[in-house]
């Protein structure tokens, strides 16, 4: 016996019952984005490694620990995409989208890859749906983004959702604060985890995200950027909050919020679901006014988010598969298969869902199969071309005219 193979660690097959949930989510997202004037964009599943090193940031967990990076046969370093924003900004620059009317509003959905420890809601291949509005610094765009994700989660009836909101200020204004934070962290260096201590220079903000006890205690009294927003940054954040208040979207201000990518500026946000345990973040995003320029484009303000599809599906519970079949076509002993095929085709062309037994079952077995696939009616084709229509719920059966099947159903 040959040894059996399994899907790689942290990956999974989406079997037909689960595929229904993905399809429902995709449909909800498509409808929402079409109504809001967002265009679908698809970028490659792998990119040059440098895109993520520059776009996500060398000092982030994603780049340091989580990327699936490989060399192709030409010796180029490629990486399976761990996130969608850097690739979309790469495409924005590559296709000169800054020459279009701004902002360019895009949405996407697809697989992403991160080398993490697999657990419930955390996988090595997972799916995200996301959106970006590139080429605007208006607080209206921040608010619209947050509203879109809020609406998507509401439409899908994700329970127990809360929104955390913060602001990182603009890159320039942040510099001074980061120096203050570094000084504070150095003062407490011995109480910090080694990882955080090692990154005091490169990425001090990440200390807010650490989960070891020592670092957490230090961070509880650390200086917070949210309390130090000034000038245009403060005005921008106040405008976003006012718009959310006006739209009736509740949020918690969170001065310890940081995001896993270096490129965020100003508004940042996360949606959490209280049903999900440790992996509670269903989606998050924010403004990234420096990223397009970092990738060789003109200075371009932008805002976006991504949500984890598996986490949303976990939160809403797998939706029951819908009965797919209106009519099951069964063959009585001695009936002509070609006649059944012709009826099947006629029904499907007329927009009905119809199935024919492909398993060589007896009539009794076919009726059982019709029940299994949730058929409401079964058309039993008899020798000579007559047919019986059976209501699967009541068991009632009546003869129908062979030429009037569609009308009779
Ligand atoms: P976390 O703190 O849970 O690691 P993150 O900050 O790394 O999340 P983002 O980079 O903001 O997550 O990605 C957006 C969304 O994608 C998350 O809110 C989450 O729902 C989902 N997500 C991220 N990583 C994974 C993963 N490994 N498996 C499944 N879903 C994921
Ligand atoms: Mg993560």
């Amino acid at each position: 016996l040959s040894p059996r193979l399994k899907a790689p660690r942290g990956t999974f097959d989406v079997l037909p019952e689960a595929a229904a949930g993905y399809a429902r989510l995709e449909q909800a997202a498509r409808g929402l984005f079409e109504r809001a004037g967002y265009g679908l964009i698809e970028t490659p599943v792998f990119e040059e490694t440098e895109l993520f090193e520059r776009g996500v940031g060398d000092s982030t967990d994603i780049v340091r620990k989580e990327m699936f990076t490989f060399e192709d046969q030409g010796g180029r370093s490629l990486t399976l995409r761990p996130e969608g924003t850097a690739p979309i900004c790469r495409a924005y620059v590559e296709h000169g989208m800054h020459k279009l009317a701004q902002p360019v509003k895009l949405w996407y959905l697809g697989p992403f890859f991160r080398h993490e420890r697999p657990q419930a809601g955390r996988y090595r291949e997972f799916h995200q749906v996301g959106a970006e509005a590139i080429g605007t610094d208006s607080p209206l765009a921040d608010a619209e983004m947050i509203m879109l994700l809020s609406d998507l989660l509401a439409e899908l009836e994700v329970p127990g959702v809360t929104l955390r909101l913060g602001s990182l200020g603009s890159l320039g204004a942040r510099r001074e604060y980061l120096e203050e934070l570094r000084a504070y962290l150095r003062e407490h260096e011995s109480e910090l985890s080694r990882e955080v201590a090692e990154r005091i220079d490169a990425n001090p903000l990440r200390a807010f995200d650490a989960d070891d006890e020592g670092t957490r205690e230090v961070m509880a009294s650390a200086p917070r950027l949210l309390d130090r927003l000034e000038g245009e940054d403060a005005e921008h954040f106040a405008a976003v909050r006012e718009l959310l208040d006006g739209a009736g979207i509740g949020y918690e201000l969170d001065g310890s919020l940081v995001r896993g990518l270096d490129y965020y500026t100003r508004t940042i946000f996360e949606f959490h679901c209280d049903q999900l345990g440790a992996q509670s973040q269903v989606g998050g995003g924010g403004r990234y006014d420096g990223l397009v320029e970092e990738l060789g484009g003109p200075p371009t303000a932008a805002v976006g988010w991504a949500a984890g599809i598996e986490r949303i599906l976990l939160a809403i519970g797998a939706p029951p598969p819908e009965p797919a079949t209106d009519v099951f076509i069964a063959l009585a002993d001695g009936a002509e298969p070609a006649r059944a095929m012709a009826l099947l085709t006629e029904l499907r062309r007329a927009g009905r869902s119809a199935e024919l037994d492909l398993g060589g079952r007896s009539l009794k077995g076919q009726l059982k199969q019709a029940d299994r696939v949730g058929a409401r009616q079964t058309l039993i084709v008899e020798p000579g071309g007559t047919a019986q229509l059976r209501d699967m719920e009541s068991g009632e059966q009546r003869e129908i005219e062979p030429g009037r099947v569609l009308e009779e159903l």
Side-chain angles (χ1 to χ4, degrees):
L1 210 68
S2 307
R4 292 206 192 162
L5 299 170
K6 284 187 177 167
R9 186 167 151 76
T11 71
F12 50 85
D13 301 306
V14 180
L15 300 180
E17 308 85 74
Y22 282 83
R24 187 173 149 230
L25 198 151
E26 178 167 355
Q27 208 179 1
R30 186 179 299 276
L32 180 77
F33 288 124
E34 278 174 1
R35 293 193 298 276
Y38 283 66
L40 179 66
I41 181 164
E42 292 189 26
T43 61
V45 160
F46 55 85
E47 297 269 358
E48 284 186 50
T49 301
E50 192 190 338
L51 171 65
F52 301 112
E53 287 171 346
R54 266 208 264 163
V56 177
D58 277 333
S59 65
T60 59
D61 279 349
I62 291 183
V63 171
R64 284 163 46 119
K65 304 193 273 205
E66 297 175 1
M67 298 207 301
F68 283 95
T69 295
F70 59 97
E71 231 176 56
D72 75 1
Q73 292 173 22
R76 282 169 288 258
S77 179
L78 299 173
T79 293
L80 297 182
R81 60 181 187 186
E83 60 93 49
T85 303
I88 288 173
C89 289
R90 193 261 312 132
Y92 177 91
V93 175
E94 183 171 341
H95 301 285
M97 288 191 233
H98 61 278
K99 293 186 213 120
L100 305 174
Q102 304 294 300
V104 176
K105 302 194 294 181
L106 301 166
W107 75 282
Y108 62 94
L109 183 149
F112 291 85
F113 306 85
R114 295 184 192 177
H115 198 282
E116 304 196 73
R117 195 167 65 79
Q119 48 200 295
R122 194 178 292 290
Y123 315 97
R124 292 185 174 176
E125 179 178 9
F126 58 100
H127 297 79
Q128 286 183 342
V129 56
E132 320 286 354
I134 309 178
T136 171
D137 64 2
S138 167
L140 282 167
D142 305 50
E144 163 160 288
M145 274 295 159
I146 293 172
M147 271 149 71
L148 283 170
L149 182 47
S150 170
D151 281 352
L152 180 65
L153 298 175
E155 185 175 336
L156 293 166
E157 294 175 13
V158 178
V161 172
T162 51
L163 167 61
R164 298 180 193 170
L165 185 69
S167 173
L168 294 175
S170 51
L171 288 171
R174 191 150 84 207
R175 236 163 257 144
E176 208 174 305
Y177 163 75
L178 289 180
E179 272 321 309
E180 188 184 341
L181 180 61
R182 283 192 187 101
Y184 175 82
L185 291 172
R186 279 196 203 99
E187 246 171 69
H188 296 271
E189 196 164 339
S190 60
E191 299 151 65
L192 302 174
S193 76
R194 187 141 62 94
E195 226 196 319
V196 171
E198 274 169 5
R199 280 197 274 179
I200 291 178
D201 282 325
N203 195 347
L205 281 176
R206 291 301 286 171
F208 282 109
D209 227 11
D211 35 42
D212 73 283
E213 203 44 45
T215 308
R216 275 173 170 279
E217 266 169 40
V218 173
M219 297 321 286
S221 354
R224 302 204 161 180
L225 190 49
L226 203 54
D227 308 324
R228 286 169 175 64
L229 289 181
E230 281 175 4
E232 287 182 8
D233 286 343
E235 278 164 33
H236 193 276
F237 192 51
V240 173
R241 291 181 55 183
E242 209 172 291
L243 288 164
L244 293 178
D245 293 339
I249 295 188
Y251 55 85
E252 279 161 42
L253 279 187
D254 186 345
S256 67
L257 198 61
V258 289
R259 304 267 311 139
L261 309 112
D262 276 353
Y263 53 61
Y264 284 105
T265 52
R266 292 192 165 172
T267 314
I268 50 170
F269 56 92
E270 288 182 358
F271 282 85
H272 287 256
C273 167
D274 65 12
Q275 317 273 301
L276 284 177
Q279 271 59 250
S280 69
Q281 194 205 131
V282 283
R287 189 162 267 294
Y288 49 91
D289 294 343
L291 179 59
V292 170
E293 195 176 4
E294 179 68 37
L295 297 177
T300 307
V303 56
W305 54 259
I309 291 182
E310 284 76 17
R311 290 193 196 170
I312 294 176
L313 294 176
L314 274 174
I316 60 183
E322 311 238 320
T325 298
D326 292 334
V327 191
F328 195 89
I329 299 180
L331 282 165
D333 263 354
E336 260 179 78
R339 172 77 191 127
M341 267 282 169
L343 282 168
L344 181 76
T345 310
E346 187 185 344
L347 285 170
R348 287 183 183 162
R349 286 195 183 141
R352 310 295 293 255
S353 57
E355 282 189 60
L356 175 68
D357 177 48
L358 303 175
R361 293 180 176 82
S362 68
L363 183 57
K364 201 170 147 211
Q366 293 178 69
L367 291 174
K368 252 197 204 161
Q369 181 63 11
D371 264 334
R372 249 181 241 129
V373 301
R376 273 171 294 179
Q377 295 175 298
T378 298
L379 190 64
I380 304 168
V381 178
E382 297 170 321
T386 55
Q388 304 277 334
L389 188 64
R390 184 185 175 93
D391 183 302
M392 296 307 286
E393 203 164 309
S394 66
E396 263 169 54
Q397 198 168 303
R398 63 192 166 90
E399 178 152 355
I400 56 171
E401 267 180 60
R404 295 183 34 87
V405 167
L406 266 180
E407 290 86 341
E408 294 280 353
L409 282 170

